[in-house]
Amino acid sequence: MSLRLPRRSSTGRKDATRHALLEAALNVFGEKGYHGAAVDDIVDRAGRSKGAAYFHFPSKAAIFRALVRELANQLVNSIQRKMDDVDSPAERLDAALLGLIDVFVRHRSLARIVLIEVAGAGRAFSDDLIFVRRQFADLIERELDRAVEIGAIPPCDTHLIATAWFGALNEVAVHWLHDPDAGSLHASYPSLRQLLLQSVGFSPAEVDRVPLHA
Amino acid sequence: MSLRLPRRSSTGRKDATRHALLEAALNVFGEKGYHGAAVDDIVDRAGRSKGAAYFHFPSKAAIFRALVRELANQLVNSIQRKMDDVDSPAERLDAALLGLIDVFVRHRSLARIVLIEVAGAGRAFSDDLIFVRRQFADLIERELDRAVEIGAIPPCDTHLIATAWFGALNEVAVHWLHDPDAGSLHASYPSLRQLLLQSVGFSPAEVDRVPLHA
DNA sequence: AGAAACCGACTGACCAGTCGGTTTGGTGAT
DNA sequence: ATCACCAAACCGACTGGTCAGTCGGTTTCT
Protein backbone atom coordinates (compact mmCIF):
# COMPACT_ATOMS: atom_id res chain seq x y z
CA MET A 1 0.00 0.00 0.00
CA SER A 2 2.60 2.50 1.03
CA LEU A 3 6.21 2.86 0.04
CA ARG A 4 8.46 0.44 1.79
CA LEU A 5 10.01 2.29 4.62
CA PRO A 6 13.22 0.48 5.43
CA ARG A 7 12.84 -2.29 7.98
CA ARG A 8 16.35 -2.76 9.18
CA SER A 9 16.25 -6.38 10.20
CA SER A 10 13.47 -8.63 9.14
CA THR A 11 12.47 -10.01 12.49
CA GLY A 12 13.36 -7.57 15.30
CA ARG A 13 10.49 -6.43 17.46
CA LYS A 14 12.20 -3.09 17.79
CA ASP A 15 12.37 -2.48 14.06
CA ALA A 16 8.79 -3.58 13.63
CA THR A 17 7.65 -0.93 16.08
CA ARG A 18 9.81 1.75 14.54
CA HIS A 19 8.40 0.82 11.18
CA ALA A 20 4.83 0.82 12.42
CA LEU A 21 5.32 4.23 13.95
CA LEU A 22 6.79 5.72 10.78
CA GLU A 23 4.06 4.23 8.64
CA ALA A 24 1.42 5.63 10.95
CA ALA A 25 3.22 8.96 10.95
CA LEU A 26 3.16 8.97 7.17
CA ASN A 27 -0.59 8.67 7.13
CA VAL A 28 -1.39 10.93 10.03
CA PHE A 29 0.97 13.71 8.98
CA GLY A 30 -0.29 13.34 5.44
CA GLU A 31 -3.89 13.71 6.51
CA LYS A 32 -3.69 16.31 9.25
CA GLY A 33 -0.42 18.07 8.61
CA TYR A 34 2.46 18.42 11.03
CA HIS A 35 0.77 20.75 13.47
CA GLY A 36 -2.64 19.16 13.20
CA ALA A 37 -1.28 15.76 14.09
CA ALA A 38 -0.87 14.80 17.73
CA VAL A 39 1.70 12.24 18.80
CA ASP A 40 -1.22 10.37 20.33
CA ASP A 41 -2.82 10.13 16.87
CA ILE A 42 0.27 8.51 15.44
CA VAL A 43 0.64 6.19 18.37
CA ASP A 44 -2.99 5.10 18.19
CA ARG A 45 -2.85 4.47 14.46
CA ALA A 46 0.30 2.41 14.95
CA GLY A 47 -1.32 0.39 17.69
CA ARG A 48 1.56 1.26 19.99
CA SER A 49 1.99 3.45 23.05
CA LYS A 50 3.42 6.85 23.64
CA GLY A 51 6.21 5.25 25.59
CA ALA A 52 7.23 3.26 22.55
CA ALA A 53 7.27 6.38 20.41
CA TYR A 54 9.51 8.23 22.83
CA PHE A 55 11.71 5.18 23.20
CA HIS A 56 12.43 5.28 19.46
CA PHE A 57 12.41 9.02 18.84
CA PRO A 58 13.40 11.88 21.12
CA SER A 59 10.59 14.17 20.00
CA LYS A 60 7.71 14.68 17.64
CA ALA A 61 9.96 16.75 15.42
CA ALA A 62 12.41 13.84 15.25
CA ILE A 63 9.68 11.50 14.05
CA PHE A 64 8.79 13.93 11.31
CA ARG A 65 12.40 14.46 10.36
CA ALA A 66 13.16 10.75 10.20
CA LEU A 67 10.08 10.17 8.11
CA VAL A 68 10.91 12.92 5.64
CA ARG A 69 14.50 11.81 5.22
CA GLU A 70 13.56 8.18 4.67
CA LEU A 71 10.78 9.04 2.24
CA ALA A 72 13.09 11.26 0.27
CA ASN A 73 15.86 8.67 0.07
CA GLN A 74 13.44 5.94 -0.84
CA LEU A 75 11.86 8.06 -3.53
CA VAL A 76 15.10 9.26 -5.03
CA ASN A 77 16.45 5.72 -5.20
CA SER A 78 13.32 4.48 -6.87
CA ILE A 79 13.42 7.26 -9.45
CA GLN A 80 17.10 6.74 -10.03
CA ARG A 81 16.48 3.08 -10.77
CA LYS A 82 13.83 3.95 -13.33
CA MET A 83 16.16 6.42 -14.99
CA ASP A 84 18.92 3.87 -15.28
CA ASP A 85 16.69 1.67 -17.42
CA VAL A 86 17.04 4.02 -20.37
CA ASP A 87 19.86 5.85 -21.99
CA SER A 88 19.14 9.05 -23.88
CA PRO A 89 18.94 12.19 -21.76
CA ALA A 90 15.42 13.03 -22.86
CA GLU A 91 14.22 9.56 -21.97
CA ARG A 92 15.97 9.65 -18.62
CA LEU A 93 14.38 12.99 -17.78
CA ASP A 94 11.08 11.55 -18.93
CA ALA A 95 11.50 8.60 -16.62
CA ALA A 96 12.23 10.90 -13.69
CA LEU A 97 9.20 13.05 -14.36
CA LEU A 98 6.83 10.18 -14.88
CA GLY A 99 8.24 8.28 -11.93
CA LEU A 100 7.65 11.21 -9.64
CA ILE A 101 4.11 11.66 -10.91
CA ASP A 102 3.44 7.96 -10.51
CA VAL A 103 4.52 7.87 -6.92
CA PHE A 104 2.60 11.02 -6.01
CA VAL A 105 -0.57 9.65 -7.54
CA ARG A 106 -0.21 6.35 -5.73
CA HIS A 107 0.86 7.78 -2.39
CA ARG A 108 -0.97 10.95 -1.76
CA SER A 109 0.13 11.22 1.86
CA LEU A 110 3.71 11.04 0.77
CA ALA A 111 3.12 13.75 -1.78
CA ARG A 112 1.49 16.01 0.78
CA ILE A 113 4.36 15.57 3.19
CA VAL A 114 7.19 15.96 0.73
CA LEU A 115 5.63 18.80 -1.25
CA ILE A 116 3.68 20.77 1.31
CA GLU A 117 4.20 19.83 4.92
CA VAL A 118 7.97 20.07 4.94
CA ALA A 119 7.67 23.62 3.72
CA GLY A 120 4.97 24.58 6.14
CA ALA A 121 6.12 22.85 9.28
CA GLY A 122 8.15 25.85 10.30
CA ARG A 123 11.60 27.31 10.09
CA ALA A 124 12.95 24.62 12.40
CA PHE A 125 12.59 22.26 9.48
CA SER A 126 13.99 24.43 6.75
CA ASP A 127 17.14 22.35 6.56
CA ASP A 128 15.01 19.31 5.93
CA LEU A 129 13.02 21.22 3.37
CA ILE A 130 16.14 22.11 1.46
CA PHE A 131 17.55 18.61 1.86
CA VAL A 132 14.52 17.04 0.23
CA ARG A 133 14.21 19.53 -2.57
CA ARG A 134 17.91 19.37 -3.36
CA GLN A 135 17.75 15.60 -3.58
CA PHE A 136 15.26 15.85 -6.38
CA ALA A 137 16.84 18.84 -8.01
CA ASP A 138 20.25 17.17 -7.99
CA LEU A 139 18.78 14.18 -9.74
CA ILE A 140 17.60 16.42 -12.54
CA GLU A 141 20.70 18.59 -12.52
CA ARG A 142 22.98 15.61 -13.10
CA GLU A 143 20.92 14.60 -16.13
CA LEU A 144 20.91 18.09 -17.53
CA ASP A 145 24.67 18.28 -17.11
CA ARG A 146 24.96 15.04 -18.98
CA ALA A 147 22.74 16.36 -21.76
CA VAL A 148 24.87 19.46 -22.06
CA GLU A 149 28.02 17.38 -22.14
CA ILE A 150 26.95 15.25 -25.06
CA GLY A 151 25.60 18.27 -26.86
CA ALA A 152 21.91 17.37 -26.70
CA ILE A 153 21.16 20.83 -25.33
CA PRO A 154 23.10 24.10 -25.21
CA PRO A 155 25.04 25.02 -22.06
CA CYS A 156 22.92 26.63 -19.39
CA ASP A 157 22.54 27.19 -15.66
CA THR A 158 21.57 23.60 -14.88
CA HIS A 159 21.41 24.19 -11.15
CA LEU A 160 18.80 26.88 -11.48
CA ILE A 161 16.92 25.01 -14.15
CA ALA A 162 16.71 21.86 -12.09
CA THR A 163 15.28 23.92 -9.24
CA ALA A 164 12.76 25.57 -11.53
CA TRP A 165 11.73 22.23 -13.03
CA PHE A 166 11.03 20.76 -9.67
CA GLY A 167 9.08 23.86 -8.75
CA ALA A 168 6.96 23.57 -11.86
CA LEU A 169 6.08 19.96 -11.14
CA ASN A 170 5.53 20.79 -7.50
CA GLU A 171 3.06 23.53 -8.25
CA VAL A 172 1.05 21.41 -10.63
CA ALA A 173 0.99 18.65 -8.04
CA VAL A 174 -0.12 21.02 -5.30
CA HIS A 175 -3.13 22.08 -7.32
CA TRP A 176 -3.91 18.47 -8.03
CA LEU A 177 -3.64 17.62 -4.33
CA HIS A 178 -6.09 20.35 -3.54
CA ASP A 179 -8.65 19.22 -6.06
CA PRO A 180 -7.91 15.77 -7.43
CA ASP A 181 -11.03 15.74 -9.56
CA ALA A 182 -9.99 18.83 -11.49
CA GLY A 183 -7.78 16.72 -13.69
CA SER A 184 -5.49 13.79 -13.20
CA LEU A 185 -1.81 14.42 -12.79
CA HIS A 186 -1.02 12.00 -15.57
CA ALA A 187 -3.15 14.06 -17.92
CA SER A 188 -0.93 17.07 -17.32
CA TYR A 189 2.17 15.13 -18.11
CA PRO A 190 2.37 15.61 -21.90
CA SER A 191 2.07 19.39 -21.65
CA LEU A 192 4.48 19.53 -18.76
CA ARG A 193 6.97 17.34 -20.56
CA GLN A 194 6.83 19.47 -23.67
CA LEU A 195 7.18 22.64 -21.64
CA LEU A 196 10.19 21.46 -19.70
CA LEU A 197 12.11 19.83 -22.51
CA GLN A 198 11.51 22.80 -24.75
CA SER A 199 12.64 25.16 -22.03
CA VAL A 200 16.21 23.88 -22.15
CA GLY A 201 16.36 23.69 -25.90
CA PHE A 202 15.93 20.02 -26.65
CA SER A 203 15.54 19.54 -30.37
CA PRO A 204 11.92 19.48 -31.56
CA ALA A 205 12.42 15.87 -32.68
CA GLU A 206 13.20 14.76 -29.15
CA VAL A 207 10.39 16.84 -27.71
CA ASP A 208 7.80 15.52 -30.10
CA ARG A 209 8.60 11.87 -29.53
CA VAL A 210 5.57 10.38 -27.85
CA PRO A 211 6.60 8.96 -24.48
CA LEU A 212 6.58 5.19 -24.22
CA HIS A 213 5.01 4.89 -20.81
CA ALA A 214 1.93 7.05 -21.24
CA MET B 1 8.78 49.82 4.95
CA SER B 2 6.02 47.42 4.12
CA LEU B 3 3.47 47.25 1.36
CA ARG B 4 0.60 49.60 1.91
CA LEU B 5 -2.14 47.57 3.37
CA PRO B 6 -5.34 49.43 2.61
CA ARG B 7 -6.29 51.99 5.23
CA ARG B 8 -9.94 52.50 4.53
CA SER B 9 -10.46 56.00 5.78
CA SER B 10 -7.57 58.28 6.42
CA THR B 11 -8.38 59.31 9.94
CA GLY B 12 -10.53 56.68 11.65
CA ARG B 13 -9.18 55.25 14.89
CA LYS B 14 -10.77 51.97 14.00
CA ASP B 15 -9.00 51.65 10.68
CA ALA B 16 -5.72 52.67 12.22
CA THR B 17 -5.97 49.78 14.65
CA ARG B 18 -6.99 47.31 12.01
CA HIS B 19 -4.08 48.44 9.92
CA ALA B 20 -1.64 48.22 12.82
CA LEU B 21 -2.83 44.70 13.57
CA LEU B 22 -2.45 43.54 9.99
CA GLU B 23 0.96 45.12 9.68
CA ALA B 24 2.08 43.42 12.88
CA ALA B 25 0.57 40.17 11.67
CA LEU B 26 2.56 40.47 8.45
CA ASN B 27 5.80 40.65 10.38
CA VAL B 28 5.02 38.13 13.07
CA PHE B 29 3.57 35.52 10.72
CA GLY B 30 6.46 36.13 8.37
CA GLU B 31 9.01 35.55 11.09
CA LYS B 32 7.47 32.75 13.12
CA GLY B 33 5.01 31.15 10.75
CA TYR B 34 1.29 30.73 11.32
CA HIS B 35 1.53 28.14 14.06
CA GLY B 36 4.58 29.63 15.71
CA ALA B 37 2.91 33.00 16.09
CA ALA B 38 0.68 33.66 19.07
CA VAL B 39 -2.10 36.22 18.89
CA ASP B 40 -0.40 37.88 21.84
CA ASP B 41 2.73 38.33 19.73
CA ILE B 42 0.80 40.16 17.06
CA VAL B 43 -1.04 42.26 19.57
CA ASP B 44 2.17 43.22 21.37
CA ARG B 45 3.93 44.15 18.17
CA ALA B 46 0.96 46.27 17.15
CA GLY B 47 0.91 48.01 20.53
CA ARG B 48 -2.71 47.04 20.94
CA SER B 49 -4.62 44.65 23.14
CA LYS B 50 -6.12 41.25 22.63
CA GLY B 51 -9.53 42.79 23.00
CA ALA B 52 -8.89 45.05 20.05
CA ALA B 53 -7.76 42.11 17.94
CA TYR B 54 -10.90 40.15 18.69
CA PHE B 55 -13.00 43.24 18.15
CA HIS B 56 -11.71 43.47 14.59
CA PHE B 57 -11.35 39.79 13.72
CA PRO B 58 -13.33 36.80 14.92
CA SER B 59 -10.32 34.49 15.20
CA LYS B 60 -6.61 34.08 14.61
CA ALA B 61 -7.40 32.28 11.38
CA ALA B 62 -9.45 35.26 10.24
CA ILE B 63 -6.51 37.61 10.81
CA PHE B 64 -4.33 35.36 8.70
CA ARG B 65 -6.93 35.03 6.00
CA ALA B 66 -7.56 38.77 5.80
CA LEU B 67 -3.84 39.41 5.63
CA VAL B 68 -3.27 36.90 2.87
CA ARG B 69 -6.16 38.17 0.77
CA GLU B 70 -5.12 41.79 1.08
CA LEU B 71 -1.49 41.04 0.34
CA ALA B 72 -2.44 39.05 -2.71
CA ASN B 73 -4.76 41.72 -4.07
CA GLN B 74 -2.25 44.46 -3.39
CA LEU B 75 0.49 42.50 -5.09
CA VAL B 76 -1.51 41.50 -8.11
CA ASN B 77 -2.66 45.07 -8.65
CA SER B 78 0.86 46.38 -8.40
CA ILE B 79 2.13 43.79 -10.89
CA GLN B 80 -0.76 44.46 -13.22
CA ARG B 81 0.08 48.14 -13.23
CA LYS B 82 3.67 47.41 -14.16
CA MET B 83 2.55 45.15 -16.97
CA ASP B 84 0.29 47.77 -18.41
CA ASP B 85 3.24 50.08 -18.93
CA VAL B 86 4.47 47.98 -21.85
CA ASP B 87 2.90 46.35 -24.82
CA SER B 88 4.54 43.30 -26.33
CA PRO B 89 3.70 39.99 -24.65
CA ALA B 90 7.32 39.17 -23.90
CA GLU B 91 7.83 42.52 -22.24
CA ARG B 92 4.64 42.21 -20.25
CA LEU B 93 5.63 38.79 -19.00
CA ASP B 94 9.02 40.23 -18.18
CA ALA B 95 7.45 42.99 -16.17
CA ALA B 96 5.37 40.49 -14.22
CA LEU B 97 8.36 38.32 -13.43
CA LEU B 98 10.61 41.18 -12.43
CA GLY B 99 7.86 42.85 -10.47
CA LEU B 100 7.27 39.73 -8.45
CA ILE B 101 10.96 39.29 -7.78
CA ASP B 102 11.27 42.93 -6.78
CA VAL B 103 8.51 42.77 -4.24
CA PHE B 104 9.77 39.51 -2.76
CA VAL B 105 13.25 40.92 -2.34
CA ARG B 106 11.94 44.04 -0.69
CA HIS B 107 9.35 42.39 1.52
CA ARG B 108 10.69 39.12 2.73
CA SER B 109 7.89 38.57 5.25
CA LEU B 110 5.36 38.96 2.51
CA ALA B 111 7.22 36.45 0.39
CA ARG B 112 7.36 33.94 3.23
CA ILE B 113 3.66 34.25 3.86
CA VAL B 114 2.48 34.15 0.28
CA LEU B 115 4.87 31.45 -0.87
CA ILE B 116 5.29 29.21 2.15
CA GLU B 117 2.99 29.85 5.06
CA VAL B 118 -0.27 29.73 3.14
CA ALA B 119 0.69 26.29 1.94
CA GLY B 120 1.79 25.05 5.30
CA ALA B 121 -0.82 26.56 7.56
CA GLY B 122 -3.04 23.54 7.16
CA ARG B 123 -5.87 22.20 5.09
CA ALA B 124 -8.25 24.72 6.60
CA PHE B 125 -6.50 27.30 4.49
CA SER B 126 -6.28 25.38 1.26
CA ASP B 127 -8.94 27.55 -0.33
CA ASP B 128 -6.85 30.59 0.46
CA LEU B 129 -3.80 28.83 -0.87
CA ILE B 130 -5.49 28.18 -4.17
CA PHE B 131 -6.97 31.68 -4.25
CA VAL B 132 -3.57 33.31 -3.99
CA ARG B 133 -1.82 31.05 -6.43
CA ARG B 134 -4.58 31.36 -8.98
CA GLN B 135 -4.43 35.14 -8.78
CA PHE B 136 -0.85 35.04 -9.93
CA ALA B 137 -1.31 32.23 -12.37
CA ASP B 138 -4.29 33.97 -13.96
CA LEU B 139 -2.20 37.06 -14.47
CA ILE B 140 0.28 35.02 -16.44
CA GLU B 141 -2.34 32.93 -18.18
CA ARG B 142 -4.06 35.99 -19.58
CA GLU B 143 -0.80 37.21 -21.05
CA LEU B 144 0.00 33.84 -22.55
CA ASP B 145 -3.43 33.68 -24.12
CA ARG B 146 -2.82 37.08 -25.60
CA ALA B 147 0.53 35.95 -26.96
CA VAL B 148 -1.09 32.92 -28.56
CA GLU B 149 -3.81 35.07 -30.07
CA ILE B 150 -1.45 37.42 -31.82
CA GLY B 151 0.69 34.51 -32.96
CA ALA B 152 3.77 35.32 -30.85
CA ILE B 153 3.79 31.74 -29.59
CA PRO B 154 2.12 28.53 -30.75
CA PRO B 155 -1.13 27.41 -29.13
CA CYS B 156 -0.61 25.53 -25.88
CA ASP B 157 -2.15 24.66 -22.53
CA THR B 158 -1.80 28.14 -21.08
CA HIS B 159 -3.53 27.25 -17.85
CA LEU B 160 -1.06 24.52 -17.02
CA ILE B 161 1.87 26.57 -18.19
CA ALA B 162 0.93 29.53 -16.05
CA THR B 163 0.77 27.22 -13.07
CA ALA B 164 4.12 25.71 -13.89
CA TRP B 165 5.71 29.12 -14.36
CA PHE B 166 4.57 30.31 -11.01
CA GLY B 167 5.85 27.09 -9.48
CA ALA B 168 9.25 27.59 -11.04
CA LEU B 169 9.56 31.10 -9.67
CA ASN B 170 8.20 29.97 -6.35
CA GLU B 171 10.78 27.23 -5.96
CA VAL B 172 13.68 29.51 -6.81
CA ALA B 173 12.34 32.04 -4.32
CA VAL B 174 11.95 29.42 -1.61
CA HIS B 175 15.59 28.46 -1.90
CA TRP B 176 16.55 32.10 -1.81
CA LEU B 177 14.42 32.64 1.28
CA HIS B 178 16.19 29.80 2.99
CA ASP B 179 19.65 31.07 2.23
CA PRO B 180 19.64 34.65 0.94
CA ASP B 181 23.42 34.76 0.72
CA ALA B 182 23.56 31.87 -1.71
CA GLY B 183 22.73 34.21 -4.56
CA SER B 184 20.43 37.13 -5.05
CA LEU B 185 17.06 36.58 -6.63
CA HIS B 186 17.75 39.23 -9.20
CA ALA B 187 20.82 37.31 -10.30
CA SER B 188 18.67 34.32 -11.16
CA TYR B 189 16.36 36.38 -13.26
CA PRO B 190 18.12 36.23 -16.65
CA SER B 191 18.33 32.44 -16.60
CA LEU B 192 14.80 32.11 -15.37
CA ARG B 193 13.52 34.50 -18.00
CA GLN B 194 15.26 32.63 -20.76
CA LEU B 195 14.00 29.31 -19.46
CA LEU B 196 10.40 30.40 -19.22
CA LEU B 197 10.14 32.30 -22.48
CA GLN B 198 11.86 29.51 -24.35
CA SER B 199 9.54 26.96 -22.79
CA VAL B 200 6.51 28.34 -24.59
CA GLY B 201 8.26 28.84 -27.88
CA PHE B 202 8.94 32.55 -28.01
CA SER B 203 11.14 33.34 -30.96
CA PRO B 204 14.85 33.38 -30.16
CA ALA B 205 14.92 37.07 -31.06
CA GLU B 206 12.44 37.89 -28.32
CA VAL B 207 14.16 35.63 -25.85
CA ASP B 208 17.59 37.08 -26.47
CA ARG B 209 16.52 40.66 -26.08
CA VAL B 210 18.22 41.96 -22.96
CA PRO B 211 15.58 43.16 -20.50
CA LEU B 212 15.42 46.89 -19.93
CA HIS B 213 15.02 46.87 -16.19
CA ALA B 214 17.95 44.68 -15.17
C1' DA C 1 18.43 -12.09 36.56
C1' DG C 2 18.97 -8.13 33.93
C1' DA C 3 18.33 -5.29 30.20
C1' DA C 4 15.76 -3.73 26.37
C1' DA C 5 11.29 -2.57 24.87
C1' DC C 6 6.99 -1.00 25.92
C1' DC C 7 2.88 0.93 28.51
C1' DG C 8 -0.34 4.87 29.66
C1' DA C 9 -1.79 7.99 33.37
C1' DC C 10 -0.16 12.26 34.54
C1' DT C 11 1.91 17.12 34.42
C1' DG C 12 3.08 21.51 33.06
C1' DA C 13 3.29 24.87 29.53
C1' DC C 14 1.15 27.19 26.13
C1' DC C 15 -2.42 29.84 23.97
C1' DA C 16 -6.99 30.87 21.54
C1' DG C 17 -10.74 32.92 22.85
C1' DT C 18 -13.86 35.35 26.67
C1' DC C 19 -15.79 38.90 29.38
C1' DG C 20 -16.56 42.44 32.76
C1' DG C 21 -14.85 46.69 32.89
C1' DT C 22 -12.75 51.28 31.03
C1' DT C 23 -11.80 54.91 27.70
C1' DT C 24 -12.94 57.76 23.79
C1' DG C 25 -15.47 60.39 20.58
C1' DG C 26 -19.64 61.94 18.86
C1' DT C 27 -24.43 64.00 19.52
C1' DG C 28 -27.65 66.93 21.14
C1' DA C 29 -29.81 69.34 24.89
C1' DT C 30 -29.23 73.39 27.83
C1' DA D 1 -19.50 76.16 25.89
C1' DT D 2 -20.55 72.70 29.13
C1' DC D 3 -22.46 68.50 30.35
C1' DA D 4 -24.99 64.13 30.08
C1' DC D 5 -25.31 60.15 27.68
C1' DC D 6 -24.40 56.31 24.65
C1' DA D 7 -22.16 53.24 21.78
C1' DA D 8 -18.13 52.02 19.56
C1' DA D 9 -13.52 50.84 20.49
C1' DC D 10 -10.39 49.06 23.46
C1' DC D 11 -8.20 46.74 27.59
C1' DG D 12 -5.99 42.60 29.90
C1' DA D 13 -6.64 39.13 33.56
C1' DC D 14 -8.59 34.81 33.33
C1' DT D 15 -10.32 30.11 31.66
C1' DG D 16 -10.54 25.83 29.51
C1' DG D 17 -8.74 22.73 26.38
C1' DT D 18 -4.96 20.69 24.08
C1' DC D 19 -0.82 18.14 23.80
C1' DA D 20 4.38 17.29 24.00
C1' DG D 21 6.99 15.05 26.89
C1' DT D 22 7.79 12.28 31.57
C1' DC D 23 8.20 8.48 34.57
C1' DG D 24 7.24 4.66 37.56
C1' DG D 25 5.85 0.44 36.45
C1' DT D 26 5.21 -3.96 33.42
C1' DT D 27 6.29 -7.23 29.86
C1' DT D 28 9.42 -9.68 26.80
C1' DC D 29 13.60 -11.31 25.31
C1' DT D 30 18.27 -13.48 26.18
Side-chain angles (χ1 to χ4, degrees):
Chain A
M1 233 35 17
S2 102
L3 269 212
R4 291 275 151 269
L5 295 163
R7 199 190 295 259
R8 279 161 196 187
S9 107
S10 43
T11 51
R13 174 175 58 139
K14 182 176 178 181
D15 284 333
T17 293
R18 189 189 141 91
H19 181 265
L21 286 168
L22 284 180
E23 180 139 337
L26 168 62
N27 292 311
V28 175
F29 283 138
E31 282 165 23
K32 309 170 80 161
Y34 179 73
H35 294 284
V39 173
D40 284 302
D41 294 336
I42 296 170
V43 151
D44 288 348
R45 171 100 49 132
R48 298 302 205 281
S49 76
K50 222 165 175 182
Y54 281 89
F55 178 79
H56 284 278
F57 303 97
S59 66
K60 178 186 176 183
I63 299 176
F64 186 70
R65 233 184 282 271
L67 177 64
V68 167
R69 306 296 254 229
E70 293 195 358
L71 285 179
N73 285 329
Q74 197 71 18
L75 232 165
V76 166
N77 288 337
S78 123
I79 302 296
Q80 185 72 64
R81 249 179 284 118
K82 286 182 192 167
M83 288 170 80
D84 290 344
D85 286 348
V86 292
D87 205 62
S88 84
E91 278 176 308
R92 288 169 68 90
L93 287 166
D94 248 2
L97 208 59
L98 259 180
L100 234 28
I101 288 178
D102 256 11
V103 175
F104 290 158
V105 167
R106 261 206 288 271
H107 308 290
R108 184 129 1 146
S109 280
L110 180 152
R112 284 197 68 85
I113 290 174
V114 169
L115 301 182
I116 298 184
E117 286 307 322
V118 189
R123 288 185 118 140
F125 296 96
S126 69
D127 285 343
D128 304 87
L129 167 67
I130 300 303
F131 170 81
V132 173
R133 308 255 164 154
R134 280 265 183 267
Q135 295 263 104
F136 292 116
D138 284 351
L139 210 68
I140 299 170
E141 189 178 340
R142 276 196 296 275
E143 253 4 272
L144 288 174
D145 283 335
R146 200 159 155 272
V148 169
E149 222 165 288
I150 68 173
I153 61 174
C156 53
D157 184 344
T158 55
H159 186 74
L160 181 85
I161 292 176
T163 306
W165 276 33
F166 180 76
L169 174 59
N170 176 38
E171 185 72 11
V172 174
V174 166
H175 282 272
W176 165 77
L177 279 172
H178 172 257
D179 185 5
D181 307 321
S184 92
L185 248 194
H186 281 108
S188 310
Y189 166 71
S191 287
L192 202 53
R193 177 192 130 83
Q194 147 125 14
L195 177 82
L196 297 180
L197 292 185
Q198 200 165 304
S199 76
V200 290
F202 267 103
S203 70
E206 296 249 50
V207 175
D208 289 339
R209 188 187 59 78
V210 179
L212 308 165
H213 331 263
Chain B
M1 225 39 13
S2 101
L3 268 210
R4 292 276 152 266
L5 294 164
R7 199 189 297 258
R8 280 164 196 186
S9 108
S10 44
T11 51
R13 176 175 56 139
K14 182 177 179 180
D15 285 333
T17 295
R18 190 189 141 91
H19 181 264
L21 286 168
L22 283 179
E23 179 139 338
L26 168 62
N27 292 310
V28 175
F29 282 138
E31 282 165 22
K32 309 171 80 160
Y34 179 74
H35 294 283
V39 173
D40 285 302
D41 296 335
I42 296 170
V43 151
D44 288 349
R45 171 98 50 131
R48 298 302 204 281
S49 75
K50 224 166 175 180
Y54 280 90
F55 177 80
H56 285 278
F57 303 97
S59 66
K60 178 185 175 183
I63 299 175
F64 186 68
R65 232 183 283 271
L67 176 64
V68 167
R69 306 294 250 228
E70 294 195 358
L71 286 179
N73 285 330
Q74 197 71 17
L75 232 165
V76 165
N77 288 340
S78 122
I79 302 294
Q80 185 72 62
R81 248 178 286 120
K82 286 182 192 167
M83 287 170 81
D84 289 343
D85 286 346
V86 292
D87 205 63
S88 84
E91 278 176 307
R92 288 169 69 89
L93 288 166
D94 249 1
L97 207 60
L98 258 180
L100 234 27
I101 287 177
D102 256 11
V103 175
F104 290 159
V105 167
R106 260 206 288 271
H107 309 289
R108 185 129 359 146
S109 279
L110 180 153
R112 283 197 68 85
I113 289 174
V114 169
L115 301 182
I116 299 185
E117 286 307 322
V118 190
R123 289 184 117 139
F125 297 96
S126 68
D127 284 343
D128 304 88
L129 167 67
I130 299 302
F131 170 81
V132 173
R133 307 253 164 158
R134 279 266 182 267
Q135 295 262 104
F136 292 115
D138 284 350
L139 210 67
I140 299 169
E141 189 178 339
R142 276 195 295 274
E143 251 5 90
L144 289 173
D145 282 335
R146 199 159 156 273
V148 169
E149 223 166 285
I150 68 172
I153 61 174
C156 54
D157 184 344
T158 54
H159 186 75
L160 181 85
I161 291 174
T163 306
W165 276 33
F166 180 75
L169 173 59
N170 176 39
E171 185 72 11
V172 173
V174 165
H175 281 272
W176 165 77
L177 280 172
H178 172 256
D179 185 5
D181 306 322
S184 92
L185 248 194
H186 281 108
S188 309
Y189 166 71
S191 287
L192 202 53
R193 176 193 132 84
Q194 146 124 13
L195 177 82
L196 296 180
L197 292 185
Q198 199 166 304
S199 76
V200 290
F202 268 102
S203 70
E206 295 249 49
V207 173
D208 289 339
R209 188 186 59 77
V210 179
L212 307 166
H213 331 261

